[in-house]
Amino acid sequence: MLGYPGSMASRTATELVHPARDHLRFTTVLAALSDPVRLAIVARLADAGPDGELACTTFALPVSKSTQSGHFKVLREAGVIRQRDEGTRRLNQLRRDDLDARFPGLLDLAIPQGREVVAGW
């Protein structure tokens, strides 16, 4: 399957799904941001800048790889991050524009909290 246009990386079983901006739900986003590890991920992505992308492997998180994958999935499905596969890497980007448009000021509150989590590790 690899090597053909439109084929998915062999490590992914399904296509990555991202909710459209107008489908972002406040309670779903808040639930995604309620975990300290996910807040830390959001803070790191914010520090990468508006066009910054970070591979999952670049996050020094105090949880197992499978737990990390679950945290990234929650953030993606809530619409907090966008993910894309590039070769064997999965790149992550904060959906700041979408979140600021739907919930102004929310990330301005969440990002410093995530930085505090990282500082405490």
Side-chain angles (χ1 to χ4, degrees), residues 73-92:
K73 180 181 177 182
V74 168
L75 290 168
R76 176 176 44 82
E77 290 180 348
V80 176
I81 66 172
R82 184 168 306 283
Q83 292 185 305
R84 69 181 182 88
D85 290 329
E86 184 178 271
T88 59
R89 299 183 317 156
R90 180 158 287 172
L91 299 174
N92 303 278

Side-chain angles (χ1 to χ4, degrees), residues 54-77:
L54 297 175
C56 293
T57 57
T58 64
F59 292 82
L61 302 173
V63 295
S64 69
K65 186 176 177 182
S66 62
T67 300
Q68 286 181 42
S69 295
H71 284 304
F72 283 108
K73 180 181 177 182
V74 168
L75 290 168
R76 176 176 44 82
E77 290 180 348

